[in-house]
Amino acid sequence: MELEEMYREHARQVYLYLLSLSHDRELSEDLTQETFVKASMKIRNFRHESTLSSWLCSIARNLYFDVCRKKKRDPEPTDPLSKDVKDPWDPRIFACLHELPEPYREILWLRVYGLLSFAQIGEIFGRSESWSRVMYHRGKCRLKECWDKESKEESHD
């Protein structure tokens, strides 16, 4: 089964499951993307002892609990694209965006500042909606790495 087909058939169920656990739409969206990225890398290990949707939900659950454990260690992680950022136009975010390779930079820009849907972004690139979701998630992870590095450098100044 292709990733796009798996995503089309099961993304809503995984998202709703994560939403029921977290009660956080943004986190549920992010973890849904991460679930399918992880599933695509581990699909060869799927033994068909359960349904595909159950397997996906177990991956999602594990990712959610990983986030919960991390929050206990780091109760206030800084996510440059979260709604908690006091100034989404912080120049440090743009500096980090500038460091990202394409297509991540453009996808993040279109989604966050252009307010385009994943379907629209996929259309711009001649790709699918699920491709744009996965690329957005990967770009967001890279942006977070840059943001963390910038924050550490600032604290040492």
Side-chain angles (χ1 to χ4, degrees):
M1 176 180 283
E2 271 191 48
L3 178 61
E4 286 181 42
E5 183 182 347
M6 183 173 32
Y7 185 86
R8 257 192 325 273
E9 289 181 21
H10 301 284
R12 181 167 171 73
Q13 181 180 7
V14 170
Y15 168 76
L16 291 173
Y17 174 67
L18 285 164
L19 188 60
S20 74
L21 291 174
S22 70
H23 306 287
D24 181 330
R25 289 181 182 185
E26 187 174 318
L27 177 62
S28 297
E29 286 176 13
D30 289 347
L31 290 178
T32 298
Q33 302 315 311
E34 201 169 327
T35 297
F36 284 90
V37 169
K38 194 165 192 169
S40 71
M41 294 186 291
K42 299 200 178 258
I43 192 71
R44 289 188 176 109
N45 298 339
F46 178 56
R47 292 182 247 147
H48 301 281
E49 293 171 356
S50 63
T51 64
L52 183 58
S53 61
S54 296
W55 181 68
L56 291 167
C57 286
S58 71
I59 292 172
R61 184 188 69 243
N62 291 336
L63 290 170
Y64 172 70
F65 288 133
D66 287 346
V67 167
C68 291
R69 281 189 292 275
K70 184 176 187 286
K71 281 185 178 179
K72 284 183 181 176
R73 281 181 271 144
D74 182 15
E76 294 182 31
T78 307
D79 182 347
L81 296 180
S82 76
K83 293 177 178 156
D84 300 328
V85 173
K86 291 179 178 130
D87 181 10
W89 297 95
D90 186 323
R92 295 174 298 172
I93 293 174
F94 293 105
C96 288
L97 272 171
H98 181 70
E99 289 184 27
L100 292 180
E102 291 298 344
Y104 303 118
R105 179 184 330 150
E106 187 173 358
I107 290 169
L108 286 168
W109 183 265
L110 292 170
R111 178 73 177 160
V112 175
Y113 298 101
L115 303 175
L116 295 182
S117 69
F118 290 116
Q120 291 168 317
I121 294 169
E123 192 174 313
I124 288 170
F125 282 90
R127 302 290 191 114
S128 68
E129 178 180 347
S130 59
W131 176 87
S132 65
R133 287 178 182 277
V134 168
M135 297 304 282
Y136 172 79
H137 175 75
R138 289 177 183 169
K140 191 173 171 182
C141 290
R142 286 185 175 204
L143 184 70
K144 174 111 173 64
E145 289 171 10
C146 176
W147 179 263
D148 290 344
K149 186 178 93 178
E150 291 285 321
S151 297
K152 282 181 185 175
E153 288 174 7
E154 258 186 31
S155 67
H156 291 300
D157 289 344

